[in-house]
């Protein structure tokens, strides 16, 4: 630092106001630290502004439309469902605003100073924060990096924000496209593609590998594929996208499908092939931090090679999930305050808001076998659950994977209604080291969807009531 | 991850606070679950995991 250069001193500088950053800032403040949080854009980060929350709002609206259109078998005839899409987007924006406002109030309530600006490292423990019209140097005792990720751009389909869009723009369209091509059949593309199909778009998904949701248990994906077909979504696998022509009215995408060149035309192309961690343009090299690929390597306390600096969330490695970022944020803040916290979880929940929803945690049967377990698997169908039937949502199953000898629960795969909520009880069971008998002996409310966990667990024990035991 | 020690999250946290390597503790609970008492006994010098 230049002599005379005034630096603002802070205990903890948090870079990024997403689900990792703001949680870390609050926990650090709870533990008595003077915290400054810097974000270049808005509080809540990707999750609240351009990710989890807006996508779920849009999916919910699309589900409502879809239900209205498909309720005649329940005796509900809806004549001409009208969609005022700009209003739908406004409603979604209000949901986002409520939540980001809440984050701002929580930070304020915890006396966290919030600064808007861009961070660039100028040394081991100093950063420059550039705001619109000036630049301030901060000297920190500790720093928590939580800069998140952004949609990955592919060279053959560069984003133009109009015809070739990322998830960000796809969540802010002013009209439902007549035709939408989704490049990438991962969870983001699948969720948004399904939502727009329900809102009336003709959707084509182009996936490079041989299956939708690569990396997810194929048994779980089967039912999702069936519903996409019902919705009229065209899923093209083994499609290697070559490029796009945007010169005309719409956009034409060229792809090689099993060695054959094919063209697909649409109004818009949503490119959702993954997310890139925001580890560039930060000057991390000035702080002595080297990357592993694009991620920042950390230890169990989320500490980087520079022991003053911690990295959490999407920049710290897969899986890129908001709840993982928040968990890591708490660990980092506690470690800074001298607590012996470390990353120590047994089960990470994964949730995909497809139709039907998918959720899983722990090991699949295959993974458990690979890890040397003698495995016991039990699957209970939602078609045999009274609540699922009364919800007109009986597609899917709750599958439990257990150690055969101890009956300890080591994983679960759920396909079906509210899978995203149902997974939590399994995560708790794994964290507590519960076995199938513990779950089977726990009274579950009737009629309710969580009964399917109890029934599947009884299947492991061998005394299921509402299905025939193997 | 493989087979891990059986202990609730709060017990794992307590072990860290006490500076105990939980993998060295023998659990007295059902299916070898480690309890708070096991941690206390371990700290007092007893109940070590057999090698």
């Amino acid at each position: 630092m230049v002599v005379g250069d005034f630096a603002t001193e802070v205990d903890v500088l948090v870079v990024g106001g997403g689900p990792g950053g703001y949680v870390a800032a609050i926990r650090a403040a709870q533990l008595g630290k003077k915290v400054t949080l810097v974000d270049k854009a808005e509080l809540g980060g990707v999750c609240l502004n351009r990710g989890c929350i807006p996508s779920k709002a849009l999916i919910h609206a699309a589900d409502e439309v879809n239900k209205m259109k498909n309720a005649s078998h329940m005796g509900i005839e809806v004549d001409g469902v009208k969609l005022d899409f700009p209003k739908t987007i406004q409603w979604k924006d209000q949901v986002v605003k409520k939540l980001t406002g809440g984050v701002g109030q929580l930070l304020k309530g915890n006396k966290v100073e919030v600064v808007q600006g861009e961070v660039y490292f100028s040394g081991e423990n100093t950063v420059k924060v550039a705001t619109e019209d000036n630049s301030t140097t901060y000297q920190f005792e500790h720093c928590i990096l939580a800069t998140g990720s952004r949609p990955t751009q592919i060279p053959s389909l560069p984003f133009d924000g109009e015809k070739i869009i990322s998830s960000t723009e796809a969540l802010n369209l002013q009209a439902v496209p007549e035709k939408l091509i989704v490049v990438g059949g991962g969870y983001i593309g699948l969720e948004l593609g399904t939502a727009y199909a329900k809102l009336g778009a003709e959707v084509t998904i182009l996936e490079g590998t041989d299956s939708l949701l690569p990396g997810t248990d194929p048994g779980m994906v089967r039912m999702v594929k069936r519903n996409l077909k019902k919705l009229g979504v065209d899923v093209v696998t083994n499609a290697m996208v070559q490029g796009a022509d945007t010169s005309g009215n719409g956009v034409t995408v060229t792809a090689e499908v099993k060695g054959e060149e094919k063209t697909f035309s649409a109004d818009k192309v949503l490119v959702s092939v993954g997310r890139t961690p925001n580890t560039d343009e930060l000057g991390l090299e000035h702080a002595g931090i080297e990357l592993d690929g694009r991620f920042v390597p950390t230890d169990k306390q989320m500490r980087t090679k520079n022991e003053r600096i911690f990295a959490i969330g999407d920049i710290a490695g897969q899986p890129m999930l908001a709840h993982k970022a928040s968990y890591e944020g708490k660990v980092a803040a506690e470690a800074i305050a001298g607590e012996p916290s470390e990353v120590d979880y047994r089960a990470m929940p994964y949730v995909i808001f497809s139709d039907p929803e998918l959720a899983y945690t722990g090991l699949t049967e295959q993974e458990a076998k690979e890890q040397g377990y003698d495995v016991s698997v039990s699957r209970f169908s939602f078609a045999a659950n009274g609540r699922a039937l009364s919800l007109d949502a009986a597609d899917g199953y709750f599958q439990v994977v257990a150690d055969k000898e101890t009956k300890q629960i080591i994983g679960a795969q759920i396909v079906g209604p509210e899978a995203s909520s149902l997974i939590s009880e399994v995560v708790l069971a794994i964290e507590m080291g519960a076995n199938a008998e513990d779950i089977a002996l726990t009274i579950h409310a009737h009629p309710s969807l969580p009964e399917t966990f109890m029934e599947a667990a009884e299947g492991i024990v061998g005394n299921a009531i509402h299905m025939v035991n193997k | 991850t493989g087979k891990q020690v059986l202990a609730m999250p709060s017990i794992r946290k307590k072990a860290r606070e006490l500076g105990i390597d939980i993998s060295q503790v023998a659990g007295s609970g059902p299916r070898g679950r480690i309890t708070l008492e096991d941690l206390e006994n371990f700290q007092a010098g007893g109940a070590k995991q057999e090698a």
Side-chain angles (χ1 to χ4, degrees), chain A residues 395-431:
Chain A
D395 277 351
Y397 56 81
F398 197 130
Q399 179 170 282
V400 174
V401 180
D403 179 279
K404 198 167 203 167
E405 191 201 328
T406 63
K407 306 212 178 338
Q408 193 179 327
I409 290 162
I410 52 177
Q413 296 80 38
I414 313 170
V415 184
E418 295 296 330
S420 55
S421 294
L422 295 171
I423 197 68
S424 288
E425 191 185 350
V426 185
V427 176
L428 178 65
I430 294 174
E431 289 292 344

Side-chain angles (χ1 to χ4, degrees), chain A residues 122-172:
Chain A
S122 49
E124 295 269 316
N125 65 334
T126 52
V127 294
K128 277 196 164 46
V129 176
T131 54
E132 228 165 72
D133 39 32
N134 65 14
S135 163
T136 312
T137 298
Y138 282 86
Q139 187 174 336
F140 57 80
E141 197 60 41
H142 289 101
C143 174
I144 300 175
L145 285 172
T147 53
S149 63
R150 60 179 183 270
T152 300
Q153 176 161 283
I154 46 177
S156 56
L157 287 177
F159 296 126
D160 64 14
E162 276 295 321
K163 289 181 182 173
I164 303 179
I165 60 174
S166 72
S167 51
T168 305
E169 292 82 27
L171 292 165
N172 278 312

Side-chain angles (χ1 to χ4, degrees), chain A residues 428-442:
Chain A
L428 178 65
I430 294 174
E431 289 292 344
M432 299 293 281
N435 75 356
E437 207 159 21
D438 294 320
I439 304 305
L441 290 168
T442 300

Side-chain angles (χ1 to χ4, degrees), chain A residues 339-342 344-346 363 371-374 403 405-406 408 430-435 438, chain B residues 1-19 22 30-31 33:
Chain A
E339 294 192 0
S341 295
E342 62 180 43
D344 174 29
Y345 59 81
R346 295 286 187 270
L363 306 175
Q371 291 192 16
Y373 280 98
D374 201 359
D403 179 279
E405 191 201 328
T406 63
Q408 193 179 327
I430 294 174
E431 289 292 344
M432 299 293 281
N435 75 356
D438 294 320
Chain B
T1 45
K3 296 196 184 188
Q4 286 165 320
V5 292
L6 202 51
M8 298 189 287
S10 58
I11 297 297
R12 278 148 33 207
K13 181 183 174 193
K14 189 73 186 172
R16 287 195 297 275
E17 286 169 356
L18 295 171
I22 200 161
R31 306 188 299 280
R33 185 195 302 264

Side-chain angles (χ1 to χ4, degrees), chain A residues 1 6-15 33-38 113 119-129 136-146 282-289 303-311 336:
Chain A
M1 211 187 321
F6 178 77
T8 307
E9 287 181 22
V10 289
D11 284 352
V12 179
L13 182 77
V14 178
V15 186
K33 298 290 175 184
K34 187 185 159 204
V35 185
T36 298
L37 186 151
V38 188
E113 192 199 6
V119 166
Y120 192 82
F121 280 86
S122 49
E124 295 269 316
N125 65 334
T126 52
V127 294
K128 277 196 164 46
V129 176
T136 312
T137 298
Y138 282 86
Q139 187 174 336
F140 57 80
E141 197 60 41
H142 289 101
C143 174
I144 300 175
L145 285 172
L282 280 167
L284 288 179
E285 63 280 8
H286 299 133
I289 294 174
R303 197 184 298 261
T304 69
K305 234 176 122 190
N306 178 338
E307 59 178 44
R308 289 175 183 276
I309 302 178
F310 293 68
I336 286 169

Side-chain angles (χ1 to χ4, degrees), chain A residues 270-283:
Chain A
L270 163 61
V271 180
S272 55
V273 294
R275 298 190 61 86
T276 302
N278 296 324
T279 46
D280 41 0
E281 296 171 11
L282 280 167

